[in-house]
Amino acid sequence: MTTAEEPAVRLVSARSGSGPATWGQRAIWGVVTRLGDDAPRYNVPVDLPVAPPRPVARVLADLTELLLLHDSLHTRWLPAGEDGLEQVVDGSGELPVEVRTSPEEKAAEVSAGLLAELAGRSFDHTREWPLRIGLVESEGLVHRLVIVGAHTGMDYWGLGRLLRDLESIQAGETAASLRQARPAQQPLEAAEVQASPLGRRRDEAARRYWCEQLTAGPRRIFRNPAAPQLADDPARMFPNALLRSPALAVAVGRVAAELEVSDAAVLLGAASHQLARMSGSSDVLFQVVVGNRFQPAAAASVSTVAQEALFRLTDADRDFADAVRRTRSVALNAFRHAAYDKWALDREVALLVEKGEAADHSYWWNDTRDPGVGPFDTVERPRAALSELIGRTELSWPTEFLPRRNVSMAVDVLTAPGALDLAMTADPAVVDRAGMERFLRGVERLVVAEAIALGD
């Protein structure tokens, strides 16, 4: 393998400007700038095959159109005073592109290494655009494309939009034609709306909702934590578990149809019911990551729009179907209050915590699935009965993480070929490995058992 001369994506006369950062940008910037060496875990990476393979120049031209379409991809962030953050959209500049030359049969292996290299470094948000590009080429044709985004520039919903726009560009669209067909709200435009009287009212209403729910919720969810003596140990590591379930991928749609809710509500309701049963608290709270793309212009945006909603379900231990049905309405109300100035909210929450008036809000739920991508898009749906399929569930322990602030449990929902994944990280002072397995398998069994009851 050799390293070829490194080309670049060059912008000359793109849109430019500066102004206050959006609420989403401020929220993520505040997190990643505090993480230091741990910041790369917030990067947004993807490794793609290029089929059919394309010349390097053509791939660079496609990427240029992509940057012209989305201002967030050529934006930097500058601190402004004690409580300010400015976004600067550059109208010109260069985005370096890493190119590796490899035999075609080793392209995937080389690409995986390149992805790890590009994703393993922190971004300098004041100097660097929030995007890194890598290409693996063989005999002048690009076979793999690596994209790593900074979370300040995009969330996972934004990454999905970016990939769909790139496919359209590869098929012949341009930034101009896509903008005309599907206008996207740019971050400077979003910030202007947020600073308006309407935006300020929404911010105030959201922060008021959060404080009301925190005041009403339980002060501690897990009544009997696994190892409270570990809570003061800064060297403890947070285990990470991954449950891969073909049965859950089949069952969740059946249950959603029967209960007349979304499959996302089924999973969040099941998690809430299982958490209540395990913890001893009938009321549970999750900070739920919300895409905040309810309007078409926001849905077409590649930016960091997602923020957390505070989801509080009362009597969550009473009945599974009841918990799922109520999850829908409770979640919708929470989602209405999932856009706000997080820095201002953090100050208000800190005051509640200091006075002992804040509920335990250290449980996180992030359904990262792209609604346009299903588990059976590329593999055949299994024909086995659910009672047999649940035996194919796999549980692994991929890694451990350094302690995370205000995290007792964090669960991500992901789509896998032929399965749904539940990835869980937990504070061992609160939930040990046995408890993590009990929670994950409990969520799976609740949904699968309900589906089997409908007819296996």
Side-chain angles (χ1 to χ4, degrees):
M1 184 181 70
T2 61
T3 302
E5 182 181 353
E6 297 173 1
V9 176
R10 294 177 175 84
L11 295 184
V12 178
S13 56
R15 287 181 301 192
S16 62
S18 63
T22 66
W23 295 333
Q25 290 170 341
R26 281 165 60 91
I28 292 298
W29 187 89
V31 171
V32 298
T33 54
R34 289 196 303 265
L35 287 176
D37 293 340
D38 202 27
R41 70 178 167 89
Y42 272 79
N43 290 342
V44 183
V46 64
D47 179 5
L48 304 168
V50 179
R54 304 158 76 88
V56 172
R58 178 65 185 276
V59 173
L60 295 179
D62 293 342
L63 293 169
T64 301
E65 292 296 320
L66 192 64
L67 266 68
L68 289 170
L69 179 60
H70 295 292
D71 294 356
S72 59
L73 302 181
H74 49 101
T75 294
R76 295 174 294 114
W77 289 271
L78 304 177
E82 293 185 2
D83 194 37
L85 183 67
E86 182 181 31
Q87 53 173 315
V88 179
V89 182
D90 293 323
S92 61
E94 292 189 356
L95 177 68
V97 175
E98 297 278 348
V99 178
R100 300 289 184 268
T101 299
S102 165
E104 181 179 346
E105 62 272 15
K106 293 187 176 181
E109 176 185 344
V110 173
S111 185
L114 184 56
L115 180 72
E117 176 186 332
L118 296 182
R121 304 196 308 266
S122 300
F123 280 84
D124 183 344
H125 303 288
T126 64
R127 300 181 180 183
E128 188 178 0
W129 290 346
L131 194 66
R132 294 186 183 130
I133 300 294
L135 309 178
V136 178
E137 63 92 19
S138 178
E139 298 182 355
L141 296 178
V142 177
H143 289 259
R144 306 288 301 191
L145 169 63
V146 169
I147 298 174
V148 175
H151 212 340
T152 45
M154 70 183 75
D155 50 33
Y156 277 94
W157 287 274
L159 175 64
R161 179 75 267 166
L162 178 150
L163 297 179
R164 289 190 290 273
D165 286 343
L166 181 58
E167 288 180 357
S168 297
I169 291 169
Q170 291 170 339
E173 298 281 1
T174 65
S177 66
L178 287 173
R179 191 178 299 120
Q180 183 176 8
R182 188 178 55 251
Q185 185 180 55
Q186 303 298 327
L188 284 172
E189 297 167 344
E192 185 176 351
V193 173
Q194 292 166 3
S196 70
L198 174 61
R200 290 196 296 270
R201 288 195 298 272
R202 288 175 175 169
D203 171 42
E204 291 167 0
R207 289 187 280 118
R208 184 166 57 249
Y209 168 86
W210 269 75
C211 291
E212 290 171 352
Q213 295 301 313
L214 285 174
T215 302
R219 299 298 180 263
R220 175 185 289 181
I221 291 180
F222 255 93
R223 303 298 171 83
N224 295 299
Q229 70 276 8
L230 292 177
D232 296 326
D233 181 5
R236 72 189 188 282
M237 298 296 287
F238 283 33
N240 173 244
L242 177 65
L243 181 127
R244 176 159 292 177
S245 174
L248 191 58
V250 173
V252 68
R254 293 189 193 174
V255 176
E258 175 66 18
L259 300 182
E260 298 182 327
V261 298
S262 68
D263 62 357
V266 172
L267 294 172
L268 178 56
S272 301
H273 184 61
Q274 179 67 12
L275 178 58
R277 294 198 308 176
M278 287 179 58
S279 68
S281 174
S282 61
D283 295 0
V284 297
L285 288 88
F286 277 106
Q287 290 199 54
V288 179
V289 180
V290 182
N292 281 344
R293 287 170 161 82
F294 307 116
Q295 301 298 324
S301 173
V302 172
S303 183
T304 295
V305 181
Q307 290 188 260
E308 293 82 33
L310 189 62
F311 170 86
R312 181 171 73 93
L313 191 67
T314 59
D315 296 320
D317 58 341
R318 189 169 58 193
D319 176 77
F320 168 68
D322 171 73
V324 170
R325 288 191 179 97
R326 288 190 296 117
T327 288
R328 180 181 183 275
S329 59
V330 173
L332 286 175
N333 193 33
F335 294 173
R336 287 179 55 235
H337 300 98
Y340 46 82
D341 183 345
K342 184 170 175 56
W343 294 3
L345 176 63
D346 284 348
R347 289 192 292 269
E348 295 180 10
V349 173
L351 289 175
L352 291 178
V353 171
E354 184 179 340
K355 293 187 292 185
E357 298 177 357
D360 185 352
H361 55 290
S362 61
Y363 296 78
W364 300 73
W365 182 265
N366 188 7
D367 193 332
T368 68
R369 294 174 299 159
D370 186 331
V373 179
F376 305 114
D377 289 353
T378 58
V379 299
E380 184 179 357
R381 180 181 290 269
R383 302 182 181 218
L386 282 171
S387 54
E388 175 188 340
L389 202 57
I390 198 170
R392 302 179 190 175
T393 298
E394 299 175 357
L395 180 68
S396 59
W397 301 86
T399 187
E400 292 184 328
F401 295 107
L402 295 169
R404 297 183 173 185
R405 181 174 172 267
N406 194 39
V407 172
S408 293
M409 172 192 296
V411 184
D412 293 335
V413 184
L414 308 99
T415 301
L420 283 186
D421 285 355
L422 299 178
M424 177 180 179
T425 299
D427 183 348
V430 180
V431 187
D432 57 18
R433 287 182 179 239
M436 293 172 68
E437 180 172 358
R438 182 182 167 199
F439 174 83
L440 292 172
R441 294 193 185 277
V443 171
E444 177 194 40
R445 286 168 181 159
L446 283 168
V447 178
V448 173
E450 188 75 10
I452 290 174
L454 297 173
D456 195 6

